[in-house]
């Protein structure tokens, strides 16, 4: 079992580059299955979920490999299976992205319910309803889902909630359907825009990605394409919060401030000075952390994926903050661990009240989901003494060598293999 050992109290300082976004790379990797030919993707983060997605593509018969650090090439010409391996399906939520592409290209896909972070019920009803509305037959039995169709047909789809995953899955399926599809109440996240850009670069006809209404004119096939994945806004936010809690000053290169406006606004409200120019974000904390109220919302609101690290930062604010989690109903699992480190937090349903304390103290804690794990790292950087963080498999899903990136900024953090 691997653990992080962190000696808190080091001020983060220096410069680091932000790598490509996991949540953009994963649907794009799945979409590469729709291309009869070769896809080349740059700035692909080398993290666990990406490894699992590459393994899925390989097991389906595609050639999918790193050709240099950060660059992946996929040749999906000879895909021979539409049966997504169950063991890999369970390993991450993003395995659901295989549904739209395989169905659209081959008229057939068999998969099981996806795994991923346990942060709420996370049903896939919008995905299935939308796929049915595009003309597919969907059968659910013994935990497996089989979708089949001779052809998919464009339709008017309306989401009850702007689901990121459903918007992406349906956009991919509709890209090869006959006729026009309109997705109303679509999610507007930058990762959706990135996916649409990739698909359009391969010959798809998608307009309006990033807006509430996406219009997709189906095409017969997609051709070879090359694409660079957008920078990871959640990693960017995590590092800004890590810098803020330690009173540091960091420079983040290849970062997109436009994707983080709600987050940067809240960080400024908390007393962090943030500057951005071109693709560089610089931050500096000179004064005490001020309390801030915040609620998570679909983009362009404050992202739920940064709620946990933001909470860690606010545990040391001078006053009381109130956070409301509006996207997932069970995304406060990090709270118990922060309490072990001396935080003062009360949770009532979807609301957390954080009374700032004067210090956190190092403890042995366990990550139980990806961003909750990152939140423990953020807290540990400012805690007195040593913190040991277990459950690194969750953090590994979404951060590329987080310990190395933080060490580069001056943190005292090491990754150890414990024999137990
Ligand atoms: C790989 C990826 O991109 N993951 C992101 C994606 O997850 P994901 O795509 O799973 O999140 P969604 O936007 O779909 O989920 C939002 C809400 O809609 C609900 N819902 C969703 C689909 C559905 O069919 N039925 C339903 O009820 C969910 O339970 C949740 O309460 O967006 C989330 C919200 O920004 C982020 O936290 C995740 O990091
Ligand atoms: C919840 C997340 O990922 P996933 O949807 O893959 O579980 C996340 O990236 O914070």
């Amino acid at each position: 079992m691997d653990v992080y050992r962190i000696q808190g109290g080091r001020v983060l300082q220096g410069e680091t580059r932000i790598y490509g976004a996991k949540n953009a790379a994963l649907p794009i990797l799945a979409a590469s299955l729709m291309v009869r030919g070769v896809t080349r993707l740059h700035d692909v983060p080398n993290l666990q979920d990406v490894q699992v997605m590459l393994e899925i593509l390989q097991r389906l018969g595609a050639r999918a490999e790193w050709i240099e650090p950060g660059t992946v090439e996929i040749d999906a010409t000879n895909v021979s299976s539409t049966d997504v391996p169950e063991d890999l399906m369970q390993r991450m939520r993003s395995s659901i992205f295989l549904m739209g592409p395989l169905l659209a290209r081959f008229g057939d896909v068999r998969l099981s319910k996806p795994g991923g972070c346990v942060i709420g019920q996370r049903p896939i009803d919008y995905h299935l309803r939308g796929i049915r509305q595009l003309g597919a037959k969907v059968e659910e039995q013994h935990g497996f889902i089989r979708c089949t169709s001779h052809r998919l047909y464009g339709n008017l789809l309306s989401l009850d909630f702007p689901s990121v995953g459903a918007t992406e899955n349906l956009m991919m399926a509709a890209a090869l359907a006959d006729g026009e599809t309109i997705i109303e109440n679509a999610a507007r996240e930058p990762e959706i825009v990135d996916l649409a850009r990739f698909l359009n670069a391969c010959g798809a006809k998608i307009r309006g990605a990033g807006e509430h209404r996406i219009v997709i004119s189906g095409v017969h096939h997609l051709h070879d394409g090359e694409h660079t994945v957008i920078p990871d806004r959640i990693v960017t936010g995590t590092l800004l919060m890590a810098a803020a809690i330690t009173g540091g000053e960091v420079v983040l290169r290849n970062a997109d401030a436009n994707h983080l406006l709600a987050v940067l606004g809240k960080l400024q409200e908390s007393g962090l000075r943030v500057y951005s120019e071109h693709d560089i974000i610089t931050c500096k904390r000179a004064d005490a952390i001020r309390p801030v109220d915040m609620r998570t919302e679909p983009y362009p609101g404050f992202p739920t994926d940064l709620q946990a690290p933001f909470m860690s930062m606010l545990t040391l604010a001078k006053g009381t903050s109130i956070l409301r989690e509006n996207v997932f109903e069970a995304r406060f699992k990090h709270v118990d661990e922060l309490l072990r480190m001396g935080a003062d937090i009360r949770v009532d349903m979807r609301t957390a009240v954080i009374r700032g304390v004067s210090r956190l103290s190092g403890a042995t804690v366990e990550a139980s989901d990806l961003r909750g794990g990152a939140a423990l790292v953020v807290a540990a950087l400012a805690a007195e003494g040593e913190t040991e963080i277990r459950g690194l498999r969750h953090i590994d899903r979404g951060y590329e060598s987080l310990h190395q990136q933080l060490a580069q900024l001056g943190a005292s953090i090491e990754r150890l293999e414990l024999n137990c």
Side-chain angles (χ1 to χ4, degrees):
M1 174 181 72
D2 280 11
V3 300
Y4 280 158
R5 283 255 171 86
I6 301 175
Q7 307 292 335
R10 300 280 179 88
V11 172
L12 293 197
Q13 250 158 2
E15 193 175 317
T16 188
R17 183 180 186 279
I18 304 298
Y19 44 82
K22 151 184 153 322
N23 288 349
L26 291 168
I28 291 173
L29 283 166
S32 71
L33 285 176
M34 295 162 68
V35 175
R36 279 173 215 268
V38 178
T39 300
R40 190 171 276 201
L41 301 174
H42 304 287
D43 246 337
V44 179
N46 190 352
L47 35 80
Q48 198 54 44
D49 274 13
V50 166
Q51 294 298 357
V52 174
M53 183 60 89
L54 291 178
E55 199 179 331
I56 293 178
L57 301 185
Q58 288 160 356
R59 299 247 300 255
L60 294 175
R63 176 175 67 80
E65 59 193 2
W66 297 94
I67 55 168
E68 57 184 74
T71 299
V72 165
E73 200 171 85
I74 302 110
D75 184 347
T77 311
N78 296 321
V79 167
S80 51
S81 168
T82 53
D83 202 341
V84 184
E86 191 185 1
D87 55 324
L88 299 176
M89 207 52 218
Q90 303 302 329
R91 302 246 322 253
M92 59 172 185
R93 172 77 180 175
S94 295
S95 46
I96 193 66
F97 293 138
L98 278 313
M99 185 168 79
L102 287 172
L103 179 66
R105 180 166 161 202
F106 300 101
D108 189 14
V109 59
R110 182 174 178 272
L111 28 73
S112 57
K113 293 265 165 74
C117 280
V118 184
I119 50 183
Q121 236 187 339
R122 310 191 78 179
I124 52 168
D125 50 333
Y126 305 160
H127 302 244
L128 298 181
R129 192 194 311 152
I131 288 289
R132 281 194 174 102
Q133 286 174 312
L134 292 177
K137 183 170 158 206
V138 178
E139 293 162 292
E140 289 183 78
Q141 231 175 20
H142 310 300
F144 286 91
I145 304 162
R146 175 114 194 257
C147 310
T148 46
S149 74
H150 291 299
R151 283 291 313 151
L152 293 176
Y153 297 99
N155 203 346
L156 174 61
L157 312 176
S158 181
L159 300 178
D160 293 344
F161 183 90
S163 153
V164 175
T167 302
E168 293 171 334
N169 232 340
L170 298 174
M171 198 164 82
M172 292 189 279
L176 292 182
D178 274 351
E180 188 173 89
T181 298
I182 296 177
I183 307 179
E184 291 283 10
N185 199 25
R188 300 166 60 196
E189 271 69 2
E191 292 76 16
I192 290 163
V193 179
D194 207 37
L195 173 63
R197 269 201 208 121
F198 165 71
L199 290 168
N200 285 342
C202 299
K205 290 197 174 135
I206 301 171
R207 300 189 311 276
E211 295 164 25
H212 290 301
R213 168 187 248 244
I214 301 179
V215 181
I216 304 133
S217 303
V219 296
H220 287 297
H221 69 276
L222 297 183
H223 54 69
D224 291 4
E226 189 160 358
H227 180 77
T228 299
V229 177
I230 54 169
D232 197 312
R233 63 194 167 100
I234 307 303
V235 172
T236 309
T238 306
L239 293 177
L240 291 172
M241 289 161 195
I245 200 171
T246 67
E249 181 171 0
V250 301
V251 178
L252 305 178
R253 287 183 287 109
N254 191 42
D256 195 333
N258 289 321
H259 294 165
L260 276 163
L261 295 180
V263 174
L264 298 183
K266 287 292 167 191
L267 285 171
Q268 278 165 338
E269 211 179 311
S270 77
L272 191 71
R273 292 189 202 151
V274 187
Y275 315 91
S276 75
E277 205 178 352
H278 305 299
D279 66 344
I280 294 180
I281 301 180
T282 308
C283 78
K284 179 178 175 161
R285 204 196 94 209
D287 311 314
I289 300 174
R290 291 198 287 267
V292 176
D293 294 344
M294 178 281 279
R295 52 172 197 269
T296 63
E297 283 171 339
Y299 189 83
F302 194 102
T304 169
D305 292 352
L306 283 172
Q307 173 258 111
F310 193 56
M311 182 186 292
S312 288
M313 192 195 89
L314 293 174
T315 59
L316 290 178
K318 286 234 173 312
T320 301
S321 308
I322 299 178
L323 301 191
R324 184 165 169 84
E325 175 52 64
N326 281 330
V327 180
F328 290 105
E329 69 275 16
R331 208 166 194 183
F332 283 141
K333 297 224 171 74
H334 45 284
V335 169
D336 281 349
E337 304 301 285
L338 290 175
L339 294 179
R340 292 164 76 84
M341 298 177 73
D344 181 348
I345 305 167
R346 297 274 161 82
V347 172
D348 181 18
M349 312 287 280
R350 285 172 176 252
T351 302
V353 178
I354 302 117
R355 291 199 184 85
V357 294
S358 57
R359 61 182 200 99
L360 293 172
S361 64
T364 298
V365 289
E366 174 133 15
S368 55
D369 65 83
L370 164 55
R371 309 300 171 185
L376 299 180
V377 174
V378 170
L381 293 171
E384 282 178 16
E386 183 174 284
T387 298
E388 183 175 296
I389 301 180
R390 302 181 173 184
L392 296 196
R393 68 181 191 285
H394 296 289
I395 300 176
D396 291 342
R397 283 192 41 231
Y399 293 87
E400 185 180 310
S401 306
L402 182 58
H403 60 297
Q404 285 172 5
Q405 199 163 28
L406 288 169
Q408 192 189 344
L409 295 171
S412 170
I413 174 169
E414 51 182 352
R415 185 176 180 125
L416 302 170
E417 196 183 329
L418 291 192
N419 297 317
C420 25

